[in-house]
Amino acid sequence: MLDVPISWQLAKVAVSVAMVLGLGAIAVRVSPKVAGLLSGYPLGTALALFFIGLEISPTFSAESAIHTLAGFTATMALGAGYWLCGRKPGLKGVASGMAGAITLWLMASLVLAQFDFTRLTGTLVTLCAIVFFTWIFRRIPDSLATARQSFSWGALCIRALLATLIVFAITSLAHWVPPAWAGTLAAFPVTMLPFLLILHITQGPAPTATVIKHYPVGLGSLLSYALCVSYTYETLGLAWGTLAGFLVATLWLLGWLQVQRWFAKRREGNRQAA
């Protein structure tokens, strides 16, 4: 068994639970669209890369982050698989959605693992995938979450179990696989997948599909984060490198939201002029 301090393990649990609960609250109190955008914020990936660097080395984590850039393509494939197969309500829809999601993620990951990506090629692959999946998802209608859910102990335990198991699996496997696979695993949607499952059970497939629809356009902040830490983990260390990554990711997200507001105002102005 890996000799990892108990304090690090507890930190993984606490942060994972907080992230999933936060996304769930946003989906119900704001909208699935906003939750989908924030699902692309570097939450689970930042956690995975940070603990990989802490448990193995910053150099290993920085090298893994290069492959994480391309690994986000597999994450979008996961979302597509869930959307295609998880269109029924209830546990049956969740089970079929999970099966489709994991199948497409594995297929995409196996293809990506055959290539030795650089920062440039990894980024270009995911940028092309963002355009492709955004086009594929364009006809998914936006749907609001209708019922407000209270955070029961049962829901808390489910969120904690799912998110924690994924984080522990990724950071444990990173000790036994090369950086290429560690980076691909770090791109796995640690917070988004448990969030999708819970949203599907409590709200149905329509709001879940809305989150998936808006996930690709939110990936710019994840790309910015992974690209930043691939440079800063070796030069600045884990703590400062992580802070620099979050700063870059936040600036990108704020800029993207501003662009969206500008386009929305422009469309509204064109409608009024017509």
Side-chain angles (χ1 to χ4, degrees):
M1 187 171 178
L2 299 174
D3 185 19
V4 179
I6 188 64
S7 59
W8 296 358
Q9 308 285 24
L10 292 174
K12 293 179 190 178
V13 175
V15 177
S16 300
V17 173
M19 288 177 178
V20 176
L21 286 175
L23 281 178
I26 289 170
V28 174
R29 299 179 185 279
V30 183
S31 75
K33 177 179 178 179
V34 176
L37 289 171
L38 291 180
S39 293
Y41 196 68
L43 302 174
T45 296
L47 183 63
L49 288 174
F50 180 84
F51 278 101
I52 288 172
L54 194 64
E55 296 175 10
I56 302 176
S57 74
T59 300
F60 184 92
S61 186
E63 188 177 350
S64 298
I66 296 174
H67 297 276
T68 300
L69 292 166
F72 296 130
T73 297
T75 302
M76 286 181 278
L78 179 147
Y82 197 100
W83 169 60
L84 289 171
C85 300
R87 299 190 179 187
K88 294 182 179 180
L91 292 177
K92 186 175 182 179
V94 170
S96 58
M98 272 289 293
I102 297 302
T103 298
L104 284 190
W105 181 83
L106 281 173
M107 291 172 61
S109 296
L110 287 171
V111 172
L112 293 171
Q114 306 305 311
F115 299 94
D116 186 18
F117 289 103
T118 63
R119 293 180 177 90
L120 176 61
T121 57
T123 302
L124 288 176
V125 165
T126 292
L127 286 176
C128 290
I130 288 173
V131 174
F132 173 75
F133 283 105
T134 299
W135 181 78
I136 290 293
F137 297 155
R138 73 191 187 283
R139 297 192 184 278
I140 298 176
D142 286 333
S143 175
L144 295 176
T146 57
R148 297 199 172 194
Q149 302 294 321
S150 60
F151 294 126
S152 66
W153 282 108
L156 177 62
C157 290
I158 292 172
R159 289 174 172 93
L161 178 63
L162 290 174
T164 303
L165 285 177
I166 295 172
V167 171
F168 273 74
I170 291 172
T171 53
S172 297
L173 285 171
H175 288 261
W176 308 104
V177 298
W181 265 105
T184 302
L185 289 170
F188 191 87
V190 171
T191 56
M192 188 184 78
L193 184 58
F195 167 61
L196 288 179
L197 301 181
I198 295 164
L199 187 65
H200 193 155
I201 292 172
T202 59
Q203 301 289 327
T208 306
T210 299
V211 172
I212 293 171
K213 173 184 179 178
H214 293 282
Y215 180 73
V217 295
L219 273 174
S221 58
L222 263 172
L223 280 171
S224 302
Y225 181 89
L227 187 61
C228 181
V229 299
S230 72
Y231 287 105
T232 58
Y233 270 179
E234 290 187 273
T235 57
L236 301 179
L238 288 176
W240 287 108
T242 298
L243 288 174
F246 273 117
L247 176 61
V248 171
T250 301
L251 289 174
W252 189 95
L253 184 60
L254 291 174
W256 174 250
L257 292 175
Q258 185 62 40
V259 169
Q260 284 192 313
R261 284 193 290 267
W262 181 79
F263 275 112
K265 289 180 180 179
R266 185 175 180 181
R267 286 194 298 267
E268 182 62 27
N270 291 337
R271 280 197 295 266
Q272 291 178 355

